[in-house]
Amino acid sequence: MLARIELFRAVDEATRTRIAEQAVARVYERGQLVFLQGAPSDRLYVLAKGAVKVYVTSRGGDIVELVRHHAPTVIGMVGLLDGTHSTTAEALERSTLLVIPRSELMGLVRSEGPVAEALVRALGAIARRTFQQVTDLAFLDLQGRVARQLLNLAGGGARTRQVTQGELATMVSGARQTVNQVLRSLESRGYIRAAGRAFEILDRERLEALAEQ
């Protein structure tokens, strides 16, 4: 499984086996926290099965969801490097994670050039995602942010991953009632169609236009 993750893809099989032997497998049920914003961090989490959402919480208790991770991938990378989690991670479904000690990863970074390069690329991807979210908040109205998030949730497909309207509201930094109104508007214009806890993308071109305004 580690061979499918960019961070470990370039190391040899013996090294991946050693990492797997050092890791501890933990199972998290839906709604269980993997780590908490502000808590100390001394380990990396490999999401082997399931899905996890990552979000930040304001002092007033407001939540903004930053990203949803689906296996296989790594999470908690920024916290691992600076020693403190800047976000909270919560299991969206029953999920299995491998917990790798910081000492093991730092040893790899020092001894394996490809691992260090992959780590830099992963941090760059986090920075790009954060920049995009800040840009969206600054320049896109709520309708545009909802359109972009629906496209993100759908990937290249015609149907989004399952998401509640409340969860969607935390992703786009909007009030739930207002987001519901935007969704109804998009549906009435034939851009999307509700399908249980997911949405079908009916007019990708017009959604993309809204997401670029």
Side-chain angles (χ1 to χ4, degrees):
M1 187 273 298
L2 291 179
R4 298 167 58 195
I5 298 173
E6 183 182 7
L7 191 61
F8 305 109
R9 192 175 298 149
V11 301
D12 57 48
E13 184 61 32
T15 301
R16 286 196 294 268
T17 299
R18 190 187 79 230
I19 295 170
E21 290 172 348
Q22 291 287 328
V24 176
R26 294 181 180 174
V27 176
Y28 295 83
E29 302 296 336
R30 174 180 171 84
Q32 188 174 356
L33 298 184
V34 178
F35 53 77
L36 185 64
Q37 180 178 332
S41 172
D42 61 355
R43 62 204 66 182
L44 182 71
Y45 297 85
V46 176
L47 180 58
K49 181 180 179 181
V52 170
K53 67 178 180 180
V54 177
Y55 59 88
V56 292
T57 307
S58 72
R59 290 183 180 180
D62 295 323
I63 290 174
V64 175
E65 186 174 322
L66 302 178
V67 64
R68 291 190 169 201
H69 291 295
H70 298 267
T73 189
V74 296
I75 60 175
M77 192 173 300
V78 174
L80 176 76
L81 295 177
D82 70 8
T84 303
H85 288 298
S86 56
T87 58
T88 295
E90 177 183 326
L92 288 165
E93 58 191 58
R94 197 171 197 265
S95 302
T96 301
L97 291 95
L98 303 180
V99 182
I100 300 175
R102 184 181 191 275
S103 58
E104 182 67 26
L105 182 63
M106 290 299 100
L108 275 178
V109 169
R110 286 189 291 269
S111 63
E112 302 281 348
V115 172
E117 293 172 6
L119 184 61
V120 170
R121 286 194 296 272
L123 292 173
I126 293 172
R128 284 194 301 275
R129 186 176 67 236
T130 302
F131 177 79
Q132 183 64 64
Q133 289 168 329
V134 172
T135 301
D136 288 350
L137 283 173
F139 299 112
L140 284 180
D141 61 13
L142 182 60
Q143 181 177 245
R145 299 201 300 275
V146 170
R148 184 185 293 277
Q149 193 57 242
L150 290 173
L151 291 169
N152 289 342
L153 288 168
R159 188 185 181 101
T160 70
R161 295 181 183 272
Q162 289 193 349
V163 61
T164 68
Q165 293 183 5
E167 290 170 338
L168 186 59
T170 67
M171 294 177 184
V172 299
S173 300
R176 180 173 178 174
Q177 181 177 358
T178 310
V179 169
N180 290 350
Q181 293 170 354
V182 170
L183 290 171
R184 287 198 297 269
S185 174
L186 294 175
E187 191 165 13
S188 69
R189 285 181 280 168
Y191 294 6
I192 63 172
R193 179 168 55 220
R197 291 185 60 193
F199 296 91
E200 295 178 1
I201 306 298
L202 303 180
D203 196 328
R204 176 175 292 274
E205 184 176 341
R206 286 192 167 90
L207 278 181
E208 289 174 343
L210 288 177
E212 297 299 330
Q213 289 180 356

